């Protein structure tokens, strides 16, 4: 009995010492004016005693021995995961993976996920990755990883399980809205090299830029893509489609740089939190690289975080028409705080606000023009050809020199008609043409 009592007192002393130290440091940083006495009074001694009691019971009664390190690490994980889906404790290897992810190269499946009701929810698959090629979609709920249920896993544990050596396989069991039974996908892990910006000319005068994620070099890559489009077009663009669909976000500064490329002045985004350094404001400082040419920004339910910052800034500044579906609604700022043991804490410290003061959090960006997620199919070609004036006997000639018209099927009918291959881009291009006509 005396031994148990001694252990309890020792454990309580250790835990109180740790929490008093942490509590004192945090409180000092948040409010240096607080006195030592008020800091001590703020500590929840009753809850700390309960924590220590449970810690002791696990050490003594759990079916298998558990190390102090694991218990304390799990306690920290639980403390952070209980705050919101995005705060987390990152052990050294997870911290390193996070840093690799922001630079555009890491190992895994190429999928951005979050936690919802104990399951892993797909925010969006990344372009040209195993997840995207396998057919995973925004909104899918992952319920099993191989034979292991996801229920009970933390988000960090699930992500760690999905990552692995290139070439190794993993089976994902997915629940998808509209499907009667769970779907199974077998994916082969790969080195994920994310090229965050792609571009092409949709037709003469009209460019298309796709940003799949926001990395440290995305702003520079965007400017290079726009320069290439102008070169391919042999002159300035009449309009641009900026595609942010299924873009899970990324680096805040990259979102600011992308927005700044199209704005001459004005606020881009600001953040508000409890601590002083969480209050930030970002404003446009450069020239509009398109010189005011019309823009359409495509978003959908997989457009999150940094994507929503760009869409919100361009919408509020009346610089672009936002088209598509309502965005994901992740409007919180996570700050990475390295710890002394080489790990880090990812902590939500602020909320994003658009220039007009709208909070993105749990609301998302409403498009100016809504588009349902539909896919068009070409009707079967008929042998019947309508009779035209030119087919009538003795019809009057136009008076102009006859020009050879392109034959049907030329250029594979322009690599399949745009309205069939990507209906939202087709609608965006049609709108751009109308805006360009009105402008001139």
């Amino acid at each position: 009995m005396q031994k148990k009592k001694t252990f309890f007192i020792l454990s309580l002393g250790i835990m109180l010492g740790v929490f008093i130290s942490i509590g004192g440091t945090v409180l000092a940083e948040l409010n240096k004016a607080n006195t030592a006495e008020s800091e001590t009074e703020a500590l929840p001694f009753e809850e700390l005693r309960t924590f220590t009691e449970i810690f002791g019971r696990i050490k003594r009664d759990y079916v298998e021995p558990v190390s102090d390190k694991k218990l304390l690490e799990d306690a920290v994980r639980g403390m952070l995961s209980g705050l919101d889906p995005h705060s987390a404790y990152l052990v050294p290897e997870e911290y390193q993976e996070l840093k690799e992810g922001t630079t555009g190269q890491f190992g895994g499946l190429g999928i951005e996920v979050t936690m919802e009701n104990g399951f892993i929810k797909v925010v969006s698959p990344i372009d040209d990755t195993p997840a995207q090629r396998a057919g995973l979609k925004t909104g899918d709920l992952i319920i099993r990883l191989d034979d292991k249920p996801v229920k009970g896993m933390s988000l960090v544990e699930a992500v760690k399980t999905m990552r692995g050596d290139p070439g190794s396989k993993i089976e994902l069991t997915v629940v998808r809205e509209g499907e009667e039974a769970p779907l199974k996908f077998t994916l082969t892990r790969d080195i994920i090299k994310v090229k965050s910006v792609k571009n092409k000319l949709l037709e003469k005068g009209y460019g298309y830029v796709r940003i799949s994620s926001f990395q440290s070099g995305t702003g520079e890559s965007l400017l290079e893509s726009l320069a290439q489009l102008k070169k391919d077009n042999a002159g300035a663009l009449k309009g641009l489609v900026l595609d942010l669909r299924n873009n899970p976000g990324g680096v805040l500064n990259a979102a600011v740089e992308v927005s700044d490329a199209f704005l001459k002045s004005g606020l881009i985004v600001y953040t508000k939190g409890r601590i002083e350094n969480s209050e930030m404001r970002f404003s446009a400082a450069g020239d509009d690289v398109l010189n005011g040419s019309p823009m359409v920004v495509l978003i959908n339910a997989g457009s999150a975080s940094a994507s929503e910052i760009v869409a919100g800034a361009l919408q509020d500044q009346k610089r672009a028409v936002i088209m598509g579906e309502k965005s994901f609604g992740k409007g919180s700022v996570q700050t990475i705080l390295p710890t002394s043991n080489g790990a880090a804490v990812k902590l939500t410290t602020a909320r994003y606000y658009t220039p007009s003061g709208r909070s993105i959090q749990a609301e998302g960006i409403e498009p100016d023009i809504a588009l349902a997620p539909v896919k068009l199919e070409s009707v079967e070609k008929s042998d019947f050809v309508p009779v035209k004036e030119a087919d009538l006997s003795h019809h009057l000639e136009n008076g102009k020199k006859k020009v050879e018209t392109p034959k049907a099927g030329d250029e594979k009918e322009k690599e399949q008609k745009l309205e069939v291959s990507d209906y939202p881009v087709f609608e965006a291009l049609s709108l751009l043409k109308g805006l360009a006509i009105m402008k001139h």
Side-chain angles (χ1 to χ4, degrees):
M1 184 66 184
Q2 181 63 34
K3 186 176 180 181
K4 289 182 180 178
K5 184 177 180 181
T6 303
F7 174 80
F8 175 77
I9 293 172
L10 178 61
S11 298
L12 180 60
I14 292 171
M15 294 308 299
L16 286 177
V18 169
F19 276 91
I20 288 171
S21 174
I22 294 172
T25 302
V26 172
L27 288 170
E29 288 293 327
L30 294 176
N31 189 353
K32 294 182 180 180
N34 285 348
T35 63
E37 183 179 355
S38 65
E39 289 171 4
T40 305
E41 289 175 355
L43 290 172
F45 286 109
E46 188 63 37
E47 286 75 14
L48 287 174
R49 186 169 68 177
T50 301
F51 179 91
T52 307
E53 179 183 346
I54 295 171
F55 184 92
R57 284 186 178 276
I58 295 172
K59 289 288 293 181
R60 184 180 66 246
D61 300 338
Y62 188 65
V63 65
E64 294 177 351
V66 188
S67 69
D68 292 345
K69 179 182 177 182
K70 174 172 172 54
L71 283 176
L72 291 171
E73 190 174 282
D74 288 348
V76 172
R77 286 187 188 278
M79 183 165 55
L80 287 159
S81 65
L83 297 174
D84 62 67
H86 308 294
S87 295
Y89 176 68
L90 308 174
V91 297
E93 51 268 36
E94 292 165 346
Y95 180 31
Q96 181 61 33
E97 287 173 358
L98 177 69
K99 289 190 287 187
E100 290 171 356
T102 61
T103 58
Q105 180 170 321
F106 53 95
L109 304 177
I111 182 172
E112 180 76 13
V113 294
T114 188
M115 197 64 120
E116 184 173 287
N117 300 324
F119 296 110
I120 304 302
K121 183 177 182 178
V122 176
V123 175
S124 68
I126 299 170
D127 289 353
D128 301 323
T129 63
Q132 194 242 10
R133 290 192 290 268
L136 286 168
K137 296 182 178 180
T138 296
D140 284 349
L141 287 179
I142 301 172
I143 60 173
R144 281 183 175 271
L145 299 172
D146 285 330
D147 294 325
K148 194 172 181 180
V150 167
K151 195 77 171 177
M153 282 188 188
S154 69
L155 182 60
V156 172
E157 288 171 332
V159 170
K160 188 174 181 180
T161 302
M162 287 188 281
R163 291 191 174 185
D165 295 331
S168 61
K169 295 182 182 295
I170 184 172
E171 184 180 76
L172 273 57
T173 304
V174 167
V175 173
R176 179 177 292 169
E177 187 177 354
E179 297 288 342
E180 294 182 0
L183 307 174
K184 292 192 175 183
F185 299 88
T186 300
L187 285 75
T188 302
R189 296 182 180 92
D190 199 358
I191 294 294
I192 308 300
K193 297 179 180 178
V194 181
K195 183 180 178 183
S196 66
V197 183
K198 298 177 182 178
N199 69 83
K200 64 180 178 181
L201 273 180
L202 296 173
E203 57 181 67
K204 181 67 176 176
Y206 298 95
Y208 168 89
V209 170
R210 160 98 181 131
I211 301 180
S212 57
S213 64
F214 287 88
Q215 303 163 6
S216 54
T218 298
E220 183 179 348
S221 296
L222 171 71
L223 296 178
E224 291 172 356
S225 290
L226 292 172
Q228 183 62 50
L229 285 172
K230 290 177 183 178
K231 182 178 178 181
D232 295 342
N233 191 58
L237 297 174
K238 295 180 182 177
L240 178 75
V241 177
L242 180 61
D243 190 352
L244 301 180
R245 292 173 296 173
N246 294 322
N247 182 322
V251 180
L252 170 61
N253 285 343
V256 172
E257 289 171 3
V258 168
S259 303
D260 192 12
F262 305 112
L263 295 170
K264 290 185 176 181
S265 61
L267 190 61
I268 293 172
V269 66
Y270 67 95
T271 64
K272 288 168 61 177
R274 291 173 59 206
I275 56 178
E276 187 177 347
N277 61 4
S278 67
E279 306 275 339
M280 297 183 290
R281 296 177 69 86
F282 299 89
S283 298
D287 293 329
D288 178 358
V289 293
L290 293 180
N291 293 318
S293 293
M295 287 181 65
V296 174
V297 178
L298 290 175
I299 61 171
N300 64 3
S303 305
S305 192
S307 302
E308 296 172 291
I309 290 173
V310 174
L314 297 180
Q315 186 180 52
D316 282 3
Q317 297 281 18
K318 308 297 183 186
R319 179 61 188 89
V321 176
I322 311 301
M323 179 180 283
E325 304 171 73
K326 187 175 182 179
S327 63
F328 184 76
K330 182 188 177 295
S332 58
V333 183
Q334 281 69 51
T335 302
I336 306 301
L337 307 169
T339 57
S340 58
N341 63 345
V345 172
K346 184 170 72 166
L347 189 66
T348 300
T349 55
R351 286 183 173 88
Y352 292 121
Y353 294 86
T354 69
S356 66
R358 293 180 294 163
S359 172
I360 298 168
Q361 179 58 28
E363 289 293 331
I365 300 296
E366 286 279 2
D368 300 308
I369 299 175
L371 283 181
V374 298
K375 183 177 180 181
L376 298 186
E377 292 186 4
S378 298
V379 296
E380 292 184 8
K381 290 186 177 180
S382 171
D383 293 332
F384 173 74
V385 179
V387 176
K388 298 180 180 178
E389 171 72 14
D391 299 320
L392 300 178
S393 299
H394 311 298
H395 67 269
L396 293 175
E397 293 297 331
N398 181 270
K400 293 183 180 179
K401 186 177 180 181
K402 191 171 182 180
V403 180
E404 285 288 328
T405 56
K407 294 179 182 179
D410 282 358
E411 299 180 42
K412 294 184 182 178
E413 294 206 4
K414 285 210 165 180
E415 301 179 0
Q416 191 181 37
K417 290 183 178 179
L418 186 59
E419 61 264 38
V420 175
S421 62
D422 197 332
Y423 177 66
V425 175
F426 168 75
E427 285 290 335
L429 177 59
S430 299
L431 177 59
L432 279 179
K433 289 179 178 178
L435 293 173
I437 291 171
M438 294 300 293
K439 184 178 178 181
H440 297 290

